[in-house]
Amino acid sequence: MCFSHPFRHPTSCCSAAEIMSVLFFHTMRYKVQDPRNASNDRFVLSKGHAAPILYSVWAEAGFLQEAELLNLRKIDSVLEGHPVPRQAFTDVATGSLGQGLGAACGMAYTGKFFDRASYRVYCLLGDGELSEGSVWEAMAFAGFYKLDNLVAIFDINRLGQSDPAPLQHHVEIYQKRCEAFGWHAIIVDGHSVEELCKAFGQAKHQPTAIIAKTFKGKGISGVEDKESWHGKPLPKNMAEQVIQEIDDRIQNKKKLSPALPEEDAPIVNIRNIKMPSPPTYKVGEKWATRKAYGVALAKLGHANDRVIALDGDTKNSTFSELFKKEHPSRYIECYIAEQNMVSIAVGCATRDRTIAFASTFATFFTRAFDQIRMAAISDSNINLCGSHCGVSIGEDGPSQMGLEDLCMFRAIPNSTVFYPSDAVATEKAVEIAANTKGICFIRTSRPENPVIYNNNEDFHIGQAKVILKSKDDQVTVIGAGVTLHEALTAAEQLRKEKIYIRVIDPFTIKPLDKKTILESARATKGRIITVEDHYHEGGIGEAVCAAVVGEPGVTVTRLAVSHVPRSGKPAELLRMFGIDKDAIMQAVRAAVSKSRNAE
């Protein structure tokens, strides 16, 4: 049935047929009618284009109706072209190749160290995706942490999409690579049920890689092991003939039932997490928001033992080390492998087992954009904190400066982008993020700036704070982080010139508080100035422009970093790029004089 038109990727499914059969009807232990049961063994189809075989095994097991398979890829069917979590049996979306194993590592780490349960994690990879560096980041992670509850199956079917895979059938090279990464590696005939059963039964004190030599299109005469068939459905008459041939080979048609899991995964509640106590900062005290993040996360760890932290060897810069100090068993060091760190966080957060916070320099999340994008498609609830944003980091120079991160995270569907401007706001952002669905990003800064909020200040997503306000305000200035403090200093000096400005702290850049911004603009003759330590594209200025587009009489002047920066002192760089107090004062004076001239 699964070969009938328009069944896509039949050849990629055929090479994995025996692997999937042995896994789902011999090796894995799970409840068919409760695919998300916390004690079930996990399965990740990293080669997501082979989705039809995944759907077929769940139909064979009895969770899906066989007739539903014929709705594959239709707009009203849950059976999409690649696995997505709309399907109860899919934990993470796959299809962007090379990412499944990282998520599987997160699940296995959670099973071994947090749940301390007996469930095992299986991940099926294609040989084409083994060219992705992210696979080897995951291999290194699993080898280092000795994830002996993890099994990776390499479907070595020789052929990629447009060409043979680089190593073709040199399975012994794959074996050496896996062993070098700390894995127990077994070569098997991927079409031998007996060899597969035996290989899955081997348990070692390290992760296992089963290197299965297979043939793409196995069992389809004229197609098996032939190039140029990737992703193509079989012609109707050919499909019917193949179905008949395969049917004739089936010796035993009795229904197989998988073994049930040992129900030893603990019951976990990650809802409605509250900080154990309010913030304890003093107004005027100087704190870097990156440090306030570490303080807040360590505190949140006491509220719920399912809060975990991950970092990419920057914990003494992002201050996640404060969490590690207080909760060492719940900190995961991911080393310098940011793509994998995001995938690990996604894996840890599946089935609501943990609340994951992963941190590194904001700019290094750019290399994990695909993993973040796929996390959103996976309906994942992960929290990412990017420190060292903007030119305000100073002497380290442009390679370390997060200047694209707001743009990147705003583009992610269902994301929430926090940009706290002091220590109190940072603590509230951490608490809110822990309770917010979707991808949350918290942008933190290196410089120490004064605390401006009282500890009892209430914060909400999409609710800006009007920090400075009078009936004589002539311009609305919107800043965040270091630029908010520059705006406050500018306001103080402008007051001496009898020029008054309204200063707004957006708190979240997405969603943006359109209502407060428009009210302020109307009260200040429609004049808005945005100032940000970020490139012009996709940052605060563009977010504000999008919010006020079509509003009569509103003008927006945007101050932002205009080109690739350089090393220098933070104050020098803020001045050089026109986002310091002097640049704000100049822009305010220009806006005020323009209207005076017009009058």
Side-chain angles (χ1 to χ4, degrees), residues 323-353:
F323 180 94
K324 184 188 178 184
K325 204 170 154 189
E326 292 187 35
H327 317 280
S329 66
R330 288 190 267 143
Y331 172 82
I332 308 176
E333 181 53 72
C334 297
Y335 299 98
I336 302 168
E338 292 84 8
Q339 295 182 10
N340 191 54
M341 177 175 74
V342 171
S343 292
I344 298 291
V346 169
C348 289
T350 55
R351 304 197 189 190
D352 289 343
R353 303 312 291 165

Side-chain angles (χ1 to χ4, degrees), residues 225-245:
D225 201 33
K226 295 278 189 291
E227 290 185 42
S228 304
W229 277 96
H230 180 91
K232 293 176 183 171
L234 301 180
K236 196 169 191 305
N237 58 341
M238 189 181 187
E240 284 164 2
Q241 185 192 329
V242 169
I243 291 167
Q244 193 53 57
E245 282 175 19

Side-chain angles (χ1 to χ4, degrees), residues 265-405:
I267 292 166
V268 166
N269 181 11
I270 59 166
R271 304 262 174 270
N272 199 20
I273 295 170
K274 294 271 179 276
M275 282 287 187
S277 57
T280 53
Y281 296 103
K282 289 189 178 72
V283 170
E285 257 182 2
K286 285 195 163 188
W287 277 81
T289 54
R290 63 173 175 145
K291 188 170 186 182
Y293 167 77
V295 171
L297 195 57
K299 200 164 155 182
L300 193 73
H302 292 290
N304 187 298
D305 65 3
R306 286 279 155 169
V307 173
I308 65 168
L310 303 86
D311 205 297
D313 192 30
T314 55
K315 58 184 171 289
N316 52 348
S317 292
T318 61
F319 282 96
S320 62
E321 67 177 4
L322 300 179
F323 180 94
K324 184 188 178 184
K325 204 170 154 189
E326 292 187 35
H327 317 280
S329 66
R330 288 190 267 143
Y331 172 82
I332 308 176
E333 181 53 72
C334 297
Y335 299 98
I336 302 168
E338 292 84 8
Q339 295 182 10
N340 191 54
M341 177 175 74
V342 171
S343 292
I344 298 291
V346 169
C348 289
T350 55
R351 304 197 189 190
D352 289 343
R353 303 312 291 165
T354 67
I355 299 146
F357 281 83
S359 50
T360 184
F361 285 24
T363 201
F364 301 145
F365 277 121
T366 58
R367 76 191 297 148
F369 183 57
D370 193 14
Q371 279 75 5
I372 296 162
R373 178 185 76 88
M374 290 302 292
I377 297 171
S378 296
D379 292 333
S380 186
N381 302 313
I382 57 169
N383 307 291
L384 306 175
C385 175
S387 70
H388 292 67
C389 65
V391 299
S392 62
I393 69 162
E395 289 83 353
D396 269 350
S399 69
Q400 314 297 297
M401 296 170 174
L403 290 160
E404 312 85 357
D405 51 305

